[in-house]
């Protein structure tokens, strides 16, 4: 799959047909590595959004009536298409989102993991059959909801598109995807591949657009459920609007993920773990570490290892050989991070390693790219708003404390609660941290990224809604349970 094959890349998929949106104010798409315009999206109008809902409504009766094994067959074919097109799809991701090719290949592999988990749905579709009394039986069955909406993020445009599609479709629902306007090409490429599995028209639809399109779709009376992964303010707004309209909601928000390093930790392992967590994908992962809390006298030694390791990262265009960190996704993201670092300096922080000065590989071609190198900030009061905010970039704030109690308190001093990690060689310390830290995903000497078949989810401002997005939780989210009582 190449860009020339994706000749209608900026189109909406409505009722099985790819067509330009009829909305106004086209959305420009830029290559994050060069800052050059690579596409323009003609966004959906409100009429286009209504047409997508109508198509999904029409497709629902026939699709939901298919057997579960039949729907699983479509997912098998989708997985085969991802396998056959991994490299081409990875290159689309890198050009559109900015991550390295290795990271993009990993995203496609992760998308296949989610498909495989949904393919296992028949193993989870067990109803209850109860003999209430002589001649009276009760059974519980699952039924699909109807038309669902998924609003996908910019950091995993393919993985999340596939993830939501797999579970919504295998459970018998029809789906509308609203792709991120920052990197809609990759989402479009994924949907084009999924369509090659032979999905009936209207089962899976794609629209492009801005907040007005999302708000209209959320409010549409025929939309039964809303899934999204986004920033916390947006997740909160989507949850409030959808819940007020009686929709089922899973809204994943932002994070401020602490990594605690205990005095007895293996410092080489800790430094490598922090660098991988915080600088992988240029810090644009919901589980990325951004607040490092060091207990006691190991602070200086760890800081030296962090600086040395971060300086080994090669920053440049994600498609270039040898590059280990690409740009952030947009000019706005780069500007936000630069502004936050300037604010931290004014508050007295020390920029130990300054990513604003990075010189990406690639020469003149990358001069206009959205590059921020690995950045380490020290001496910033953790109560300052700029430290409390999610930057979503390759920046860590390092703090020194005197005890495990203080480290746990600082870890919990955030409105978020997505992930938290600790590096230690003590089982007792790890158990105490695991018990007391307020986070939905906890790592011990590891990055807490769960496999696709295990439920993950955040606390506090990191999650709003009814059910999380991984493991078997989507089965409950995308189905209603009906109780049938019968006497014969």
């Amino acid at each position: 799959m190449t860009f020339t094959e994706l000749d209608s890349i900026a189109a909406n998929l409505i009722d099985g047909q790819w067509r330009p949106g009829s909305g106004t104010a086209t959305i420009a798409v830029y290559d994050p590595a060069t800052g050059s315009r690579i596409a323009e999206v003609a966004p959906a109008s409100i009429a286009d959004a209504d047409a997508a809902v109508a198509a999904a409504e029409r497709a629902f009766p026939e699709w939901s009536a298919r057997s579960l094994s039949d729907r699983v067959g479509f997912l098998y074919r989708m997985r085969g298409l991802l396998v056959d097109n991994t490299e081409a799809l990875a290159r689309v991701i890198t050009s559109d989102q900015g991550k390295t090719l290795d990271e993009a290949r990993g995203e496609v592999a992760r998308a296949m993991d989610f498909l495989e988990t949904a393919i296992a749905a028949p193993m989870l579709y067990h109803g209850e059959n109860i003999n209430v009394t002589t001649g009276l039986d009760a059974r519980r069955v699952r039924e699909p909801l109807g038309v669902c909406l998924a609003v996908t993020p910019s950091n995993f445009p393919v993985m999340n598109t596939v993830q939501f599609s797999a579970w919504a479709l295998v459970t018998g629902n029809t789906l509308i995807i609203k792709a991120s306007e920052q990197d809609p090409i990759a989402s479009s490429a994924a949907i084009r591949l999924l369509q090659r599995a032979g999905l009936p028209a209207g089962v899976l639809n794609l629209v492009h657009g801005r907040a007005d399109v999302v708000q209209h779709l959320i409010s549409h009376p025929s939309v039964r459920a809303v899934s999204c992964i986004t920033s916390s303010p947006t997740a909160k707004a989507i949850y409030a609007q959808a819940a007020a309209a009686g929709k089922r909601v899973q809204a994943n928000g932002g994070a401020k993920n602490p990594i605690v390093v205990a005095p007895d930790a293996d410092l080489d392992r800790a430094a490598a773990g922090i660098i991988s967590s915080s600088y992988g994908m240029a810090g644009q992962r919901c589980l990325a570490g951004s607040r490092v809390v060091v207990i006691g006298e190991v602070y200086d030694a760890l800081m030296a290892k962090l600086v040395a390791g971060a300086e080994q990262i090669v920053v440049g265009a994600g498609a270039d050989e040898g590059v280990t960190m690409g740009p952030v996704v947009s000019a706005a993201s780069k500007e936000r991070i630069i502004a936050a670092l300037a604010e931290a300096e004014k508050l007295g922080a020390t920029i130990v390693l300054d990513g604003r000065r990075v010189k990406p590989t690639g020469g003149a071609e990358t001069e206009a790219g959205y590059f921020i190198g690995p950045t380490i900030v020290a001496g910033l009061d953790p109560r300052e708003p700029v430290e409390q905010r999610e930057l979503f970039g390759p920046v860590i704030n390092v703090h020194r404390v005197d005890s495990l109690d203080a480290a746990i308190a600082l870890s919990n001093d955030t409105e978020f609660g997505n992930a938290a990690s600790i590096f230690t060689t003590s089982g007792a310390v790890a158990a105490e941290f695991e018990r007391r830290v307020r986070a939905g995903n906890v790592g011990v000497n590891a990055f807490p990224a769960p496999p696709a078949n295990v439920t993950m989810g955040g606390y506090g401002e990191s999650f709003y809604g009814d059910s999380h997005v991984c493991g078997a939780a989507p089965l409950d989210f995308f189905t209603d349970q009906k109780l049938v009582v019968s006497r014969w």
Side-chain angles (χ1 to χ4, degrees), residues 107-177:
E107 177 177 347
V108 179
R110 183 75 164 163
M112 286 188 270
D113 289 344
F114 282 111
L115 270 171
E116 290 165 2
T117 303
I119 284 169
M123 298 295 294
L124 305 173
Y125 247 87
H126 300 302
E128 298 176 59
N129 292 278
I130 302 169
N131 177 237
V132 180
T133 187
T134 303
L136 184 66
D137 297 319
R139 59 190 173 93
R140 191 179 300 276
V141 296
R142 291 185 182 273
E143 292 189 337
L145 303 177
V147 179
C148 301
L149 168 67
V151 182
T152 58
S154 64
N155 58 340
F156 289 102
V158 167
M159 183 191 79
N160 291 132
T161 294
V162 172
Q163 174 184 5
F164 288 131
S165 298
W167 274 106
L169 270 53
V170 79
T171 49
N173 300 283
T174 53
L175 183 66
I176 301 165
I177 296 278

Side-chain angles (χ1 to χ4, degrees), residues 255-312:
K256 191 72 176 180
N257 303 317
I259 301 176
V260 172
V261 180
D264 63 350
D266 179 328
L267 295 188
D268 289 328
R269 173 186 266 188
I274 292 166
I275 288 167
S276 175
S277 169
S278 304
Y279 300 136
M281 260 183 62
Q284 298 171 115
R285 295 182 292 199
C286 64
L287 296 175
S290 54
R291 174 184 282 176
V292 176
V293 185
V294 188
I295 304 173
E297 298 302 321
V298 297
Y299 179 91
D300 291 337
L302 178 71
M303 185 68 84
K305 291 179 183 293
L306 288 177
V307 172
E311 287 178 337
Q312 297 303 307

Side-chain angles (χ1 to χ4, degrees), residues 29 42 93 125 147 174 196 199 278 366 371 406 440 473:
V29 183
I93 294 170
Y125 247 87
V147 179
T174 53
R196 293 185 191 177
L199 289 172
S278 304
T366 59
F371 293 98

Side-chain angles (χ1 to χ4, degrees), residues 346-360:
K346 288 181 180 179
L347 292 167
T350 299
I351 310 300
V352 179
L353 186 64
D354 195 341
R356 295 170 296 185
R357 300 174 183 171
V358 71
K359 297 295 183 183

Side-chain angles (χ1 to χ4, degrees), residues 62-96:
E62 189 274 336
W63 179 251
S64 60
R66 289 177 180 247
S67 68
L68 179 58
S69 61
D70 189 18
R71 297 195 298 264
V72 166
F74 282 91
L75 268 58
Y76 272 113
R77 291 193 286 277
M78 290 175 181
R79 187 190 180 281
L81 288 163
L82 288 178
V83 171
D84 293 342
N85 292 274
T86 292
E87 188 63 20
L89 194 53
R91 291 187 176 275
V92 175
I93 294 170
T94 294
S95 295
D96 199 25

